[in-house]
Amino acid sequence: EDQLVESGGGSVQVGGSLTLSCTKSGFTFDDPDMGWYRQGPGHECELVSRISSDDSTDYADSVKGRFTISQNNAKNTVYLQMNSLKPEDTGVYYCATLTTVGWPCGYWGQGTQVTVTP
């Protein structure tokens, strides 16, 4: 069955960096666009970034210039490189297909916690 597993979170100081990974299995018969979402204080289930099957990307205004989304050639791993982290970036980060029906945060997995401290 289709599975997405997030990893790579942690606690960093303001200005630090983290790289998140989303490992993907299944999805044999389609290649949906993928997104990273976050949920935390001051956030809804916010779409942070997305990447399409042709590797085109989009970013929320709040992370432009700081975050980079990418995927491997097999498209079974999606990454989110996060630089210049701010306290407002704190939250649980989830990956999901952009076709997910319902609440994307937590739909596929438990997410990975990112905490940015002063």
Side-chain angles (χ1 to χ4, degrees), residues 80-93:
L80 186 67
Q81 181 182 331
M82 306 184 295
N83 298 324
S84 302
L85 283 162
K86 304 175 180 179
E88 67 190 63
D89 297 318
T90 293
V92 181
Y93 283 68

Side-chain angles (χ1 to χ4, degrees), residues 8-18 82 85-86 90 114-118:
S11 181
V12 298
Q13 292 183 325
V14 170
S17 298
L18 286 171
M82 306 184 295
L85 283 162
K86 304 175 180 179
T90 293
V114 172
T115 303
V116 184
T117 62

Side-chain angles (χ1 to χ4, degrees), residues 8-79:
S11 181
V12 298
Q13 292 183 325
V14 170
S17 298
L18 286 171
T19 299
L20 309 182
S21 298
C22 173
T23 57
K24 176 182 176 183
S25 62
F27 301 95
T28 303
F29 303 110
D30 60 10
D31 188 20
D33 293 359
M34 301 295 300
W36 280 100
Y37 299 78
R38 68 186 176 192
Q39 184 176 33
H43 299 90
E44 304 174 3
C45 183
E46 176 188 17
L47 177 61
V48 175
S49 185
R50 62 183 292 172
I51 186 166
S52 66
S53 59
D54 66 358
D55 294 328
S56 62
T57 59
D58 288 298
Y59 300 91
D61 288 341
S62 60
V63 306
K64 285 181 179 177
R66 300 188 297 118
F67 290 12
T68 302
I69 191 171
S70 62
Q71 61 190 344
N72 64 357
N73 290 337
K75 300 179 182 179
N76 58 14
T77 306
V78 182
Y79 306 96

